[in-house]
Amino acid sequence: MNIFEEARIKLTAFYLLVMMAASLAFSVYVYESVTVEFVKRYDVVQKRYEINFPGTTSSDGGTIFIVEDIYATRNNVLVILLYANVAILIFSGIAGYFLAGVTLKPIKKNMDEQKDFVSNASHELRTPLTSIKTEIEVALRDKDMNLSAAKELLRSNLEEVDKMKKLADYLLKLNKFSVDTGSLRMKEVDLKKVAAKAIGKRKVKAELKKAVVKGNEESITELISILLDNAFKYTLKNPKITVRTYANTLEVNDNGVGIPQEDLNHIFDRFYRAEKSRTKDGYGLGLSIAKSIVDAHGAKISVESKVGKGSKFKVVFGK
């Protein structure tokens, strides 16, 4: 039994305890109320019988109200309440287990994501570290190593260090936009100006119209840069990349390799990389960061893509 199943059972037991306590309290109240009422009615009947009140005897001289019937009715009420509580117990157990699952589901999802994140990050860091370690060990065993070879080794090690630094920068950005979104200062931002800034000297077709949205200029610039980097990375030759801004919308279109249909639902997942033609030495974090920025702004991002035709990323900000 894993930790979440154990927690679910404990939470179910807690829900069940609360529900049954309320049910039993209500049952006791009903039973006592019925008993009090029966006692009152019994006293009235008894007094009427003692004074031979009209209507308390039948034509053959027998009593209409029989004391045993009153007590039998009270006992029947008790049995009914017991059955009702058993039914409530069963229903509460099933409902409590379901509610516990609903309560714990987002927590479990978050924990699973964190677990996968740590595992993937460790794997990505292990690769360059292993490469550096192997190169150094080989160099130390080389008794004829000269200055030129040593410099080549250092250059190779530096490339691996740069990879780790790049990954660390990605992780910091991902954490910033996933966790610390409350620190983002929101104000009115013109997507046209921000897009022009992000485009810079890149060779893209810009169809920019004024589009004022509420957001953080720095993070939106980062978002556009990520989408542009992604477009250039997967446009193998004769790139035709278009950036559009209009209303409260941003679009980045490319004529690249496209994304297979089975990968479209996963491209924003952390460390997810589609087919080999789309990896390009990336870490699978760029679009995850983009999605975090979009979520931090309460916006929506969608993708349309055809293999061999290109992709269109569309971000719609709130009004």
Side-chain angles (χ1 to χ4, degrees), residues 151-269:
K151 287 184 177 180
E152 182 62 30
L153 172 66
L154 291 175
R155 276 194 290 269
S156 178
N157 288 169
L158 187 59
E159 288 179 1
E160 299 299 331
V161 171
D162 286 340
K163 289 181 181 179
M164 288 190 289
K165 182 180 182 301
K166 183 179 180 181
L167 176 58
D169 290 340
Y170 271 136
L171 296 177
L172 288 172
K173 288 179 181 179
L174 190 58
N175 182 70
K176 175 183 177 181
F177 294 118
S178 297
V179 180
D180 194 24
T181 57
S183 64
L184 295 178
R185 295 183 178 180
M186 302 292 188
K187 63 178 183 179
E188 286 193 345
V189 177
D190 188 350
L191 291 178
K192 177 180 178 180
K193 294 181 179 179
V194 176
K197 179 181 177 181
I199 292 171
K201 296 182 180 180
R202 302 183 203 224
K203 294 181 179 180
V204 303
K205 182 180 180 181
E207 299 178 0
L208 308 179
K209 296 181 180 180
K210 186 174 182 179
V212 178
V213 299
K214 188 175 182 180
N216 178 269
E217 183 173 340
E218 179 184 355
S219 59
I220 293 178
T221 302
E222 179 74 23
L223 167 64
I224 299 173
S225 295
I226 290 172
L227 295 179
L228 284 172
D229 288 342
N230 186 74
F232 277 103
K233 186 182 294 184
Y234 301 121
T235 303
L236 304 180
K237 57 183 179 179
N238 300 322
K240 294 180 181 179
I241 298 170
T242 304
V243 179
R244 296 189 179 93
T245 60
Y246 57 93
N248 59 331
T249 304
L250 164 72
E251 285 185 9
V252 177
N253 300 341
D254 67 62
N255 63 329
V257 298
I259 307 170
Q261 189 66 34
E262 62 269 19
D263 293 320
L264 281 177
N265 293 331
H266 302 285
I267 60 173
F268 296 112
D269 296 347

Side-chain angles (χ1 to χ4, degrees), residues 62-226:
T63 58
I64 295 177
F65 300 99
I66 302 175
V67 174
E68 286 77 4
D69 291 341
I70 295 178
Y71 282 105
T73 303
R74 188 183 69 171
N75 292 335
N76 289 338
V77 170
L78 178 60
V79 172
I80 292 171
L81 289 174
L82 288 175
Y83 278 125
N85 276 278
V86 171
I88 291 173
L89 176 65
I90 296 173
F91 174 78
S92 298
I94 297 173
Y97 188 76
F98 174 76
L99 289 174
V102 173
T103 302
L104 292 173
K105 185 177 180 179
I107 301 175
K108 183 178 185 301
K109 180 182 178 182
N110 184 62
M111 291 294 291
D112 288 342
E113 288 179 350
Q114 292 297 326
K115 182 179 179 180
D116 291 340
F117 178 77
V118 172
S119 176
N120 289 322
S122 300
H123 173 75
E124 296 292 349
L125 286 170
R126 188 185 298 115
T127 302
L129 284 173
T130 301
S131 178
I132 292 173
K133 183 176 182 294
T134 301
E135 289 178 348
I136 293 176
E137 288 176 343
V138 171
L140 289 174
R141 289 196 295 266
D142 186 1
K143 297 180 180 180
D144 300 324
M145 188 174 190
N146 54 32
L147 181 60
S148 177
K151 287 184 177 180
E152 182 62 30
L153 172 66
L154 291 175
R155 276 194 290 269
S156 178
N157 288 169
L158 187 59
E159 288 179 1
E160 299 299 331
V161 171
D162 286 340
K163 289 181 181 179
M164 288 190 289
K165 182 180 182 301
K166 183 179 180 181
L167 176 58
D169 290 340
Y170 271 136
L171 296 177
L172 288 172
K173 288 179 181 179
L174 190 58
N175 182 70
K176 175 183 177 181
F177 294 118
S178 297
V179 180
D180 194 24
T181 57
S183 64
L184 295 178
R185 295 183 178 180
M186 302 292 188
K187 63 178 183 179
E188 286 193 345
V189 177
D190 188 350
L191 291 178
K192 177 180 178 180
K193 294 181 179 179
V194 176
K197 179 181 177 181
I199 292 171
K201 296 182 180 180
R202 302 183 203 224
K203 294 181 179 180
V204 303
K205 182 180 180 181
E207 299 178 0
L208 308 179
K209 296 181 180 180
K210 186 174 182 179
V212 178
V213 299
K214 188 175 182 180
N216 178 269
E217 183 173 340
E218 179 184 355
S219 59
I220 293 178
T221 302
E222 179 74 23
L223 167 64
I224 299 173
S225 295
I226 290 172

Side-chain angles (χ1 to χ4, degrees), residues 20-76:
M20 287 311 301
S23 176
L24 289 172
F26 177 74
S27 297
V28 169
Y29 170 76
V30 171
Y31 181 74
E32 290 298 325
S33 299
V34 170
T35 300
V36 170
E37 186 62 27
F38 276 156
V39 170
K40 288 181 179 179
R41 297 307 303 166
Y42 170 73
D43 290 341
V44 170
V45 171
Q46 185 68 24
K47 289 178 181 179
R48 288 178 176 178
Y49 180 74
E50 290 174 353
I51 64 175
N52 197 24
F53 190 83
T56 59
T57 59
S58 62
S59 58
D60 59 358
T63 58
I64 295 177
F65 300 99
I66 302 175
V67 174
E68 286 77 4
D69 291 341
I70 295 178
Y71 282 105
T73 303
R74 188 183 69 171
N75 292 335
N76 289 338

